[in-house]
Amino acid sequence: DVKVTQSSRYLVKRTGEKVFLECVQDMDHENMFWYRQDPGLGLRLIYFSYDVKMKEKGDIPEGYSVSREKKERFSLILESASTNQTSMYLCASSSGGARGGNEQFFGPGTRLTVL
Amino acid sequence: QQQVKQSPQSLIVQKGGIPIINCAYENTAFDYFPWYQQFPGKGPALLIAIRPDVSEKKEGRFTISFNKSAKQFSLHIMDSQPGDSATYFCAASEGNEKLTFGTGTRLTIIP
């Protein structure tokens, strides 16, 4: 059974803290994605990666960075958390050739609150 | 710039009714149109998808209707059940590029 796991379901951090969100997939997928989900705004792509050590900016990369040192793991980093980064963060992975776009498998999400 | 517009934002339908969720896109190069279903506390999961070479696709009680000339596609749920209550997202992509999602529709099916 395919599986995408995220390190935390709930996380509370303070403004200015450095935050790491971890995502692991066990499907040997090339492509991994980080989204944030906010009411009325849907899923917005933050960063994605088509291969190890590769990363590309999505639609809203400001304030975030990513790391992909191993194929199965994709980390989202908030260098200095701010209250407007309070959100649900979803990780996803997909197979599919050189670039993504086929079925994406999502993790359960991490609800981050920045105080 | 929102490339996929989804409506309505929320929808309440009685059991057995046929909820319809609509999406419109701008990029004529899009060629893959999936719908994702998300239950509370879970990540979205692929429900059904269509490519523009067909105008309709059915999987069980779920149907996608696709109108290429109008750049619109919609999800219909036949004989809706309370268990269908969820948030639904349409999406689109070009070739094997990343998905662009709509803003979501919260569907409630009342008994």
Side-chain angles (χ1 to χ4, degrees):
Chain A
D1 199 18
V2 297
K3 208 164 187 180
V4 178
T5 56
Q6 295 183 229
S7 51
S8 305
R9 293 301 303 272
Y10 300 93
L11 210 52
V12 179
K13 295 293 181 179
R14 296 212 173 268
T15 302
E17 280 192 82
K18 190 169 186 176
V19 181
F20 293 87
L21 302 182
E22 305 285 339
C23 175
V24 177
Q25 51 97 0
D26 66 359
M27 297 165 281
D28 200 35
H29 283 167
E30 287 82 13
N31 311 313
M32 296 188 75
F33 308 83
W34 275 107
Y35 297 88
R36 63 177 285 176
Q37 180 177 5
D38 300 288
L41 297 177
L43 278 69
R44 293 181 292 166
L45 183 63
I46 304 172
Y47 266 97
F48 57 108
S49 169
Y50 292 136
D51 201 351
V52 175
K53 297 197 185 293
M54 290 183 64
K55 60 184 179 183
E56 293 198 32
K57 292 180 179 180
D59 301 316
I60 52 165
E62 297 79 18
Y64 304 93
S65 63
V66 291
S67 172
R68 193 167 180 199
E69 296 296 321
K70 293 185 177 182
K71 188 176 185 180
E72 67 272 16
R73 188 179 298 270
F74 193 35
S75 302
L76 180 69
I77 304 156
L78 287 66
E79 294 290 341
S80 177
S82 63
T83 54
N84 63 11
Q85 292 178 309
T86 292
S87 186
M88 172 68 81
Y89 289 88
L90 290 162
C91 175
S93 71
S94 71
S95 63
R99 303 175 81 85
N102 294 322
E103 180 179 0
Q104 293 187 16
F105 295 85
F106 283 83
T110 295
R111 184 165 293 282
L112 173 67
T113 301
V114 183
L115 301 175
Chain B
Q1 180 186 2
Q2 183 186 355
Q3 296 190 54
V4 179
K5 293 184 178 181
Q6 183 172 347
S7 63
Q9 190 171 3
S10 63
L11 186 57
I12 300 173
V13 173
Q14 269 201 309
K15 177 183 173 184
I18 306 175
I20 301 173
I21 305 171
N22 300 297
C23 284
Y25 62 96
E26 299 164 3
N27 185 349
T28 55
F30 283 153
D31 61 0
Y32 174 67
F33 303 90
W35 285 90
Y36 281 76
Q37 180 187 54
Q38 184 182 29
F39 293 107
K42 305 283 188 182
L46 179 66
L47 181 64
I48 184 173
I50 196 169
R51 296 200 182 265
D53 52 342
V54 295
S55 60
E56 185 176 277
K57 183 173 181 180
K58 288 184 181 181
E59 286 187 6
R61 296 184 293 108
F62 299 90
T63 299
I64 299 179
S65 297
F66 183 80
N67 186 328
K68 189 173 182 178
S69 61
K71 293 186 288 184
Q72 294 175 348
F73 58 110
S74 59
L75 177 70
H76 302 231
I77 305 175
M78 309 301 288
D79 187 28
S80 59
Q81 301 296 315
D84 297 328
S85 297
T87 300
Y88 292 82
F89 294 95
C90 63
S93 69
E94 172 187 350
N96 281 330
E97 290 294 320
K98 56 185 171 64
L99 288 170
T100 297
F101 284 87
T103 51
T105 297
R106 177 175 283 187
L107 173 65
T108 304
I109 307 298
I110 52 177

